[in-house]
Amino acid sequence: MNDDAERSTETRLRESLAQVLGVSVESVPAEARLAELFPEARRIEAWRQWQQACPVPLPALDHPLSTKMGWFAGGFLGALFLLAFLRTLGVHIPSSMLVGGIVGLLAGAVGLRWLAAPGRSFPPGLVTLADLAARLDAGVR
């Protein structure tokens, strides 16, 4: 068994983060809050650096729930306006509310993925480095 496999996920996270931050491993305790390690002003770039240096695959930064809901609501409204416009042209789409909901959800997801600014929030439930290690050990990204 190689040395990397024998070390815990938490240890590997701490070591790679210490390397990225340029500090000793002892100064990065497992109880360290991610928000303090990654200030919002530099969070995206610092997280990318850590993803590259970390031997464990890290989850991507996320968007806050309010941003997600805004994109999905915008997609839904856009789809409803499109369906209403088609209706005024005489084009009837069966189950238009269902179709509008599905198209709106897809439009919101596409907009959030390709048009929105990159996420700046940590995935839900991640507050400390230990939380991240536990999630990675459980196989959830």
Short mmCIF file of all heavy atoms in Angstrom, two decimals, residues 68-110:
data_model
loop_
_atom_site.label_atom_id
_atom_site.label_comp_id
_atom_site.label_asym_id
_atom_site.label_seq_id
_atom_site.Cartn_x
_atom_site.Cartn_y
_atom_site.Cartn_z
N LYS A 68 -29.92 30.34 -7.39
CA LYS A 68 -30.50 29.23 -8.15
C LYS A 68 -31.98 29.45 -8.40
O LYS A 68 -32.46 29.27 -9.52
CB LYS A 68 -30.31 27.92 -7.38
CG LYS A 68 -28.88 27.45 -7.29
CD LYS A 68 -28.83 26.19 -6.45
CE LYS A 68 -27.43 25.75 -6.18
NZ LYS A 68 -27.37 24.58 -5.30
N MET A 69 -32.69 29.83 -7.36
CA MET A 69 -34.14 30.04 -7.50
C MET A 69 -34.43 31.19 -8.47
O MET A 69 -35.40 31.13 -9.24
CB MET A 69 -34.78 30.34 -6.13
CG MET A 69 -34.82 29.15 -5.21
SD MET A 69 -36.04 27.95 -5.71
CE MET A 69 -35.12 26.64 -6.38
N GLY A 70 -33.62 32.22 -8.45
CA GLY A 70 -33.80 33.33 -9.38
C GLY A 70 -33.66 32.89 -10.83
O GLY A 70 -34.45 33.27 -11.69
N TRP A 71 -32.65 32.08 -11.11
CA TRP A 71 -32.45 31.59 -12.47
C TRP A 71 -33.60 30.67 -12.89
O TRP A 71 -34.09 30.75 -14.02
CB TRP A 71 -31.12 30.86 -12.60
CG TRP A 71 -30.00 31.82 -12.85
CD1 TRP A 71 -29.18 32.37 -11.91
CD2 TRP A 71 -29.61 32.37 -14.11
NE1 TRP A 71 -28.29 33.22 -12.52
CE2 TRP A 71 -28.53 33.23 -13.86
CE3 TRP A 71 -30.06 32.21 -15.41
CZ2 TRP A 71 -27.89 33.93 -14.88
CZ3 TRP A 71 -29.42 32.90 -16.42
CH2 TRP A 71 -28.35 33.75 -16.14
N PHE A 72 -34.04 29.80 -12.00
CA PHE A 72 -35.13 28.89 -12.35
C PHE A 72 -36.44 29.65 -12.52
O PHE A 72 -37.22 29.36 -13.44
CB PHE A 72 -35.27 27.78 -11.32
CG PHE A 72 -34.11 26.83 -11.33
CD1 PHE A 72 -33.51 26.44 -10.16
CD2 PHE A 72 -33.61 26.33 -12.52
CE1 PHE A 72 -32.42 25.57 -10.17
CE2 PHE A 72 -32.53 25.46 -12.54
CZ PHE A 72 -31.94 25.07 -11.36
N ALA A 73 -36.69 30.64 -11.68
CA ALA A 73 -37.91 31.45 -11.83
C ALA A 73 -37.85 32.24 -13.13
O ALA A 73 -38.87 32.35 -13.84
CB ALA A 73 -38.06 32.40 -10.63
N GLY A 74 -36.69 32.79 -13.48
CA GLY A 74 -36.54 33.52 -14.74
C GLY A 74 -36.77 32.62 -15.94
O GLY A 74 -37.42 33.00 -16.91
N GLY A 75 -36.24 31.40 -15.88
CA GLY A 75 -36.45 30.45 -16.97
C GLY A 75 -37.91 30.07 -17.10
O GLY A 75 -38.45 29.99 -18.22
N PHE A 76 -38.58 29.88 -15.97
CA PHE A 76 -39.99 29.53 -15.99
C PHE A 76 -40.83 30.67 -16.56
O PHE A 76 -41.70 30.45 -17.41
CB PHE A 76 -40.45 29.19 -14.57
CG PHE A 76 -41.87 28.72 -14.49
CD1 PHE A 76 -42.24 27.51 -15.05
CD2 PHE A 76 -42.83 29.49 -13.87
CE1 PHE A 76 -43.55 27.07 -14.98
CE2 PHE A 76 -44.15 29.07 -13.80
CZ PHE A 76 -44.51 27.85 -14.35
N LEU A 77 -40.54 31.90 -16.13
CA LEU A 77 -41.28 33.05 -16.67
C LEU A 77 -41.04 33.22 -18.17
O LEU A 77 -41.97 33.49 -18.92
CB LEU A 77 -40.87 34.33 -15.94
CG LEU A 77 -41.62 34.64 -14.66
CD1 LEU A 77 -41.00 35.82 -13.95
CD2 LEU A 77 -43.07 34.90 -14.96
N GLY A 78 -39.79 33.06 -18.59
CA GLY A 78 -39.49 33.15 -20.02
C GLY A 78 -40.25 32.12 -20.82
O GLY A 78 -40.79 32.41 -21.89
N ALA A 79 -40.31 30.89 -20.30
CA ALA A 79 -41.05 29.83 -20.99
C ALA A 79 -42.54 30.14 -21.04
O ALA A 79 -43.19 29.92 -22.07
CB ALA A 79 -40.80 28.49 -20.30
N LEU A 80 -43.08 30.68 -19.96
CA LEU A 80 -44.51 31.02 -19.95
C LEU A 80 -44.82 32.14 -20.94
O LEU A 80 -45.84 32.10 -21.64
CB LEU A 80 -44.97 31.39 -18.55
CG LEU A 80 -45.05 30.23 -17.57
CD1 LEU A 80 -45.54 30.73 -16.21
CD2 LEU A 80 -45.95 29.13 -18.08
N PHE A 81 -43.95 33.15 -21.00
CA PHE A 81 -44.16 34.23 -21.98
C PHE A 81 -44.07 33.69 -23.41
O PHE A 81 -44.84 34.08 -24.27
CB PHE A 81 -43.15 35.36 -21.78
CG PHE A 81 -43.50 36.28 -20.66
CD1 PHE A 81 -42.63 36.47 -19.61
CD2 PHE A 81 -44.71 36.97 -20.66
CE1 PHE A 81 -42.96 37.32 -18.56
CE2 PHE A 81 -45.04 37.82 -19.62
CZ PHE A 81 -44.17 37.99 -18.57
N LEU A 82 -43.13 32.78 -23.65
CA LEU A 82 -43.01 32.18 -24.97
C LEU A 82 -44.27 31.39 -25.33
O LEU A 82 -44.80 31.52 -26.44
CB LEU A 82 -41.79 31.26 -25.04
CG LEU A 82 -41.62 30.48 -26.34
CD1 LEU A 82 -41.34 31.44 -27.50
CD2 LEU A 82 -40.50 29.47 -26.19
N LEU A 83 -44.77 30.62 -24.39
CA LEU A 83 -46.00 29.86 -24.65
C LEU A 83 -47.20 30.77 -24.85
O LEU A 83 -48.07 30.50 -25.70
CB LEU A 83 -46.25 28.86 -23.52
CG LEU A 83 -45.26 27.70 -23.46
CD1 LEU A 83 -45.45 26.90 -22.19
CD2 LEU A 83 -45.41 26.81 -24.69
N ALA A 84 -47.28 31.86 -24.09
CA ALA A 84 -48.38 32.81 -24.27
C ALA A 84 -48.28 33.48 -25.64
O ALA A 84 -49.31 33.68 -26.32
CB ALA A 84 -48.34 33.86 -23.16
N PHE A 85 -47.08 33.81 -26.07
CA PHE A 85 -46.89 34.41 -27.39
C PHE A 85 -47.31 33.43 -28.49
O PHE A 85 -47.99 33.81 -29.45
CB PHE A 85 -45.42 34.83 -27.56
CG PHE A 85 -45.11 35.38 -28.92
CD1 PHE A 85 -45.59 36.62 -29.31
CD2 PHE A 85 -44.35 34.64 -29.82
CE1 PHE A 85 -45.31 37.12 -30.56
CE2 PHE A 85 -44.07 35.13 -31.08
CZ PHE A 85 -44.55 36.38 -31.46
N LEU A 86 -46.90 32.19 -28.35
CA LEU A 86 -47.30 31.18 -29.33
C LEU A 86 -48.82 31.02 -29.37
O LEU A 86 -49.42 30.85 -30.43
CB LEU A 86 -46.64 29.83 -29.03
CG LEU A 86 -45.13 29.76 -29.27
CD1 LEU A 86 -44.58 28.42 -28.79
CD2 LEU A 86 -44.81 29.97 -30.74
N ARG A 87 -49.44 31.12 -28.20
CA ARG A 87 -50.91 31.00 -28.12
C ARG A 87 -51.58 32.14 -28.88
O ARG A 87 -52.59 31.94 -29.56
CB ARG A 87 -51.32 30.99 -26.65
CG ARG A 87 -52.76 30.79 -26.38
CD ARG A 87 -53.12 29.35 -26.69
NE ARG A 87 -54.49 29.11 -26.29
CZ ARG A 87 -54.89 28.03 -25.72
NH1 ARG A 87 -54.04 27.07 -25.48
NH2 ARG A 87 -56.14 27.89 -25.40
N THR A 88 -51.01 33.37 -28.79
CA THR A 88 -51.60 34.50 -29.52
C THR A 88 -51.43 34.34 -31.03
O THR A 88 -52.20 34.90 -31.80
CB THR A 88 -50.98 35.85 -29.09
OG1 THR A 88 -49.59 35.81 -29.36
CG2 THR A 88 -51.24 36.13 -27.63
N LEU A 89 -50.42 33.57 -31.43
CA LEU A 89 -50.23 33.30 -32.85
C LEU A 89 -51.11 32.15 -33.34
O LEU A 89 -51.10 31.82 -34.52
CB LEU A 89 -48.76 32.96 -33.15
CG LEU A 89 -47.75 34.07 -32.92
CD1 LEU A 89 -46.34 33.55 -33.18
CD2 LEU A 89 -48.05 35.27 -33.81
N GLY A 90 -51.83 31.53 -32.41
CA GLY A 90 -52.72 30.43 -32.78
C GLY A 90 -52.09 29.06 -32.65
O GLY A 90 -52.67 28.06 -33.07
N VAL A 91 -50.90 29.01 -32.08
CA VAL A 91 -50.23 27.72 -31.89
C VAL A 91 -50.55 27.23 -30.49
O VAL A 91 -50.18 27.86 -29.50
CB VAL A 91 -48.69 27.86 -32.05
CG1 VAL A 91 -48.00 26.52 -31.80
CG2 VAL A 91 -48.35 28.41 -33.42
N HIS A 92 -51.29 26.13 -30.44
CA HIS A 92 -51.65 25.57 -29.13
C HIS A 92 -50.75 24.38 -28.83
O HIS A 92 -50.57 23.49 -29.66
CB HIS A 92 -53.10 25.13 -29.11
CG HIS A 92 -53.47 24.43 -27.84
ND1 HIS A 92 -53.51 25.08 -26.63
CD2 HIS A 92 -53.77 23.13 -27.59
CE1 HIS A 92 -53.84 24.20 -25.68
NE2 HIS A 92 -54.00 23.02 -26.25
N ILE A 93 -50.16 24.39 -27.65
CA ILE A 93 -49.32 23.28 -27.22
C ILE A 93 -50.06 22.55 -26.11
O ILE A 93 -50.39 23.16 -25.08
CB ILE A 93 -47.94 23.79 -26.73
CG1 ILE A 93 -47.21 24.47 -27.88
CG2 ILE A 93 -47.12 22.65 -26.15
CD1 ILE A 93 -45.89 25.06 -27.53
N PRO A 94 -50.39 21.28 -26.34
CA PRO A 94 -51.10 20.53 -25.29
C PRO A 94 -50.28 20.50 -23.99
O PRO A 94 -49.05 20.43 -24.02
CB PRO A 94 -51.22 19.12 -25.89
CG PRO A 94 -50.98 19.26 -27.34
CD PRO A 94 -50.12 20.47 -27.51
N SER A 95 -50.97 20.56 -22.89
CA SER A 95 -50.33 20.55 -21.55
C SER A 95 -49.29 21.65 -21.45
O SER A 95 -48.17 21.45 -20.98
CB SER A 95 -49.70 19.19 -21.25
OG SER A 95 -50.64 18.17 -21.36
N SER A 96 -49.66 22.85 -21.89
CA SER A 96 -48.69 23.95 -21.95
C SER A 96 -48.10 24.32 -20.59
O SER A 96 -46.94 24.73 -20.52
CB SER A 96 -49.30 25.17 -22.63
OG SER A 96 -50.42 25.62 -21.92
N MET A 97 -48.84 24.17 -19.51
CA MET A 97 -48.28 24.49 -18.19
C MET A 97 -47.18 23.48 -17.82
O MET A 97 -46.14 23.86 -17.29
CB MET A 97 -49.37 24.49 -17.12
CG MET A 97 -50.31 25.68 -17.21
SD MET A 97 -49.45 27.26 -17.04
CE MET A 97 -49.07 27.23 -15.33
N LEU A 98 -47.43 22.22 -18.13
CA LEU A 98 -46.42 21.20 -17.86
C LEU A 98 -45.19 21.43 -18.73
O LEU A 98 -44.05 21.40 -18.25
CB LEU A 98 -46.99 19.81 -18.10
CG LEU A 98 -46.04 18.64 -17.89
CD1 LEU A 98 -45.58 18.58 -16.44
CD2 LEU A 98 -46.70 17.34 -18.29
N VAL A 99 -45.43 21.69 -20.00
CA VAL A 99 -44.33 21.96 -20.93
C VAL A 99 -43.57 23.21 -20.49
O VAL A 99 -42.34 23.24 -20.49
CB VAL A 99 -44.85 22.11 -22.37
CG1 VAL A 99 -43.76 22.62 -23.30
CG2 VAL A 99 -45.40 20.80 -22.88
N GLY A 100 -44.31 24.25 -20.09
CA GLY A 100 -43.68 25.48 -19.62
C GLY A 100 -42.82 25.25 -18.39
O GLY A 100 -41.72 25.81 -18.27
N GLY A 101 -43.30 24.41 -17.49
CA GLY A 101 -42.51 24.11 -16.29
C GLY A 101 -41.23 23.39 -16.62
O GLY A 101 -40.16 23.72 -16.11
N ILE A 102 -41.32 22.41 -17.49
CA ILE A 102 -40.14 21.63 -17.86
C ILE A 102 -39.15 22.49 -18.64
O ILE A 102 -37.96 22.51 -18.36
CB ILE A 102 -40.54 20.37 -18.65
CG1 ILE A 102 -41.31 19.43 -17.74
CG2 ILE A 102 -39.31 19.69 -19.23
CD1 ILE A 102 -41.97 18.27 -18.46
N VAL A 103 -39.66 23.21 -19.64
CA VAL A 103 -38.78 24.09 -20.43
C VAL A 103 -38.18 25.17 -19.55
O VAL A 103 -37.00 25.50 -19.67
CB VAL A 103 -39.55 24.69 -21.63
CG1 VAL A 103 -38.75 25.78 -22.31
CG2 VAL A 103 -39.91 23.60 -22.62
N GLY A 104 -38.98 25.73 -18.66
CA GLY A 104 -38.47 26.76 -17.75
C GLY A 104 -37.38 26.24 -16.83
O GLY A 104 -36.37 26.90 -16.60
N LEU A 105 -37.57 25.04 -16.30
CA LEU A 105 -36.56 24.44 -15.44
C LEU A 105 -35.27 24.21 -16.21
O LEU A 105 -34.17 24.52 -15.74
CB LEU A 105 -37.08 23.12 -14.88
CG LEU A 105 -36.18 22.40 -13.89
CD1 LEU A 105 -36.08 23.21 -12.61
CD2 LEU A 105 -36.71 21.02 -13.60
N LEU A 106 -35.39 23.68 -17.43
CA LEU A 106 -34.20 23.46 -18.25
C LEU A 106 -33.52 24.78 -18.63
O LEU A 106 -32.29 24.87 -18.60
CB LEU A 106 -34.57 22.67 -19.51
CG LEU A 106 -34.99 21.22 -19.26
CD1 LEU A 106 -35.48 20.58 -20.56
CD2 LEU A 106 -33.85 20.42 -18.67
N ALA A 107 -34.32 25.79 -18.98
CA ALA A 107 -33.74 27.09 -19.33
C ALA A 107 -33.01 27.70 -18.14
O ALA A 107 -31.92 28.28 -18.28
CB ALA A 107 -34.82 28.04 -19.84
N GLY A 108 -33.59 27.57 -16.96
CA GLY A 108 -32.94 28.09 -15.76
C GLY A 108 -31.64 27.36 -15.46
O GLY A 108 -30.64 27.97 -15.11
N ALA A 109 -31.64 26.04 -15.63
CA ALA A 109 -30.43 25.26 -15.39
C ALA A 109 -29.33 25.61 -16.39
O ALA A 109 -28.16 25.76 -16.02
CB ALA A 109 -30.75 23.77 -15.45
N VAL A 110 -29.70 25.75 -17.65
CA VAL A 110 -28.72 26.11 -18.68
C VAL A 110 -28.18 27.51 -18.41
O VAL A 110 -26.98 27.75 -18.49
CB VAL A 110 -29.36 26.02 -20.09
CG1 VAL A 110 -28.49 26.68 -21.14
CG2 VAL A 110 -29.60 24.56 -20.45
#
